[in-house]
Amino acid sequence: MPVPSYGAMPISKTFLLVRVLQVISMVIIIGITSNFVSLIVSSGVEAPKEFVGTLSVTCIATLYVAVSIAFYWSQANIGLLVMSGVDSLLLIAFIVVAVTLGKPLSFLNCYVIGKTSAEVNAESAYAFTMSVTQNLNTMGSNLPLGNWAGATRTNCFQSKTIWGLSIGLCILFTTSCALLPTLFYKNKKANTPKSVEV
């Protein structure tokens, strides 16, 4: 099936590229975040609210993006404006996610984790283990995101990947918010019959 032009083929193809990049970013976020939540819950501790919120917002956004591609392909003219409104709401949601994740993660230096002296590593591991055991199987207990992300270098890089992709999704949803109304007006202009002068 050919890509619908909406009266401006380059803009239409750009929008489709943005949608594909959004889907790829969201699938990666869902995979990493769900792995984190699974590991944390299996240790008997409540998952950090930042991860749960990120997972919820990303799952809803992925469902919407999958449905919106079908509307886009079926020449939904007025639907372009509706999609622009929903994209704006998702932009706000991902800004909140990026800021919430960024507060504890911006201070972590992943390259330093594991490179300090053996005594510092042992103290850090002991403090982390003690905080986990104190919160183990206690309803409503949770450890802050910084504790989980800073536990290992892998956790740190994965957490920062989630944060970076959330920032990238802010940029992608901003782009789609700008392209959708443009496609609507270009399509309207292309389909308006020209008046014939007598």
Side-chain angles (χ1 to χ4, degrees):
M1 275 186 351
V3 176
S5 70
Y6 287 101
M9 185 56 89
I11 296 174
S12 182
K13 286 183 177 179
T14 303
F15 172 75
L16 195 60
L17 174 67
V18 166
R19 275 294 194 248
V20 168
L21 291 174
Q22 287 171 343
V23 169
I24 291 169
S25 299
M26 288 187 287
V27 167
I28 293 170
I29 289 175
I30 289 171
I32 295 172
T33 308
S34 61
N35 183 42
F36 260 124
V37 170
S38 171
L39 290 173
I40 293 168
V41 170
S42 67
S43 69
V45 180
E46 188 177 315
K49 61 184 179 296
E50 295 91 350
F51 280 152
V52 175
T54 301
L55 191 57
S56 301
V57 167
T58 308
C59 286
I60 291 168
T62 305
L63 176 65
Y64 157 73
V65 167
V67 171
S68 72
I69 291 173
F71 280 107
Y72 167 78
W73 225 280
S74 65
Q75 297 283 338
N77 297 331
I78 198 72
L80 294 175
L81 292 180
V82 173
M83 286 191 291
S84 179
V86 177
D87 278 24
S88 300
L89 294 175
L90 288 175
L91 169 62
I92 293 168
F94 277 107
I95 288 172
V96 170
V97 165
V99 169
T100 305
L101 288 175
K103 284 179 186 177
L105 295 180
S106 62
F107 296 106
L108 284 178
N109 184 353
C110 298
Y111 296 104
V112 173
I113 297 172
K115 285 199 172 186
T116 55
S117 67
E119 290 177 8
V120 173
N121 284 341
E123 287 176 20
S124 175
Y126 176 75
F128 179 73
T129 305
M130 288 306 295
S131 62
V132 169
T133 55
Q134 289 171 356
N135 291 298
L136 207 62
N137 295 323
T138 306
M139 201 58 178
S141 67
N142 56 7
L143 292 172
L145 174 63
N147 287 7
W148 287 107
T152 65
R153 187 180 292 184
T154 304
N155 285 3
C156 184
F157 280 123
Q158 288 179 351
S159 300
K160 290 216 174 191
T161 300
I162 295 168
W163 181 35
L165 288 172
S166 298
I167 294 170
L169 282 169
C170 292
I171 295 167
L172 290 171
F173 276 108
T174 302
T175 306
S176 64
C177 287
L179 293 177
L180 284 166
T182 307
L183 282 174
F184 173 77
Y185 289 115
K186 288 282 189 181
N187 189 39
K188 189 175 179 183
K189 188 175 181 181
N191 290 333
T192 304
K194 296 181 181 179
S195 59
V196 180
E197 294 183 14
V198 181

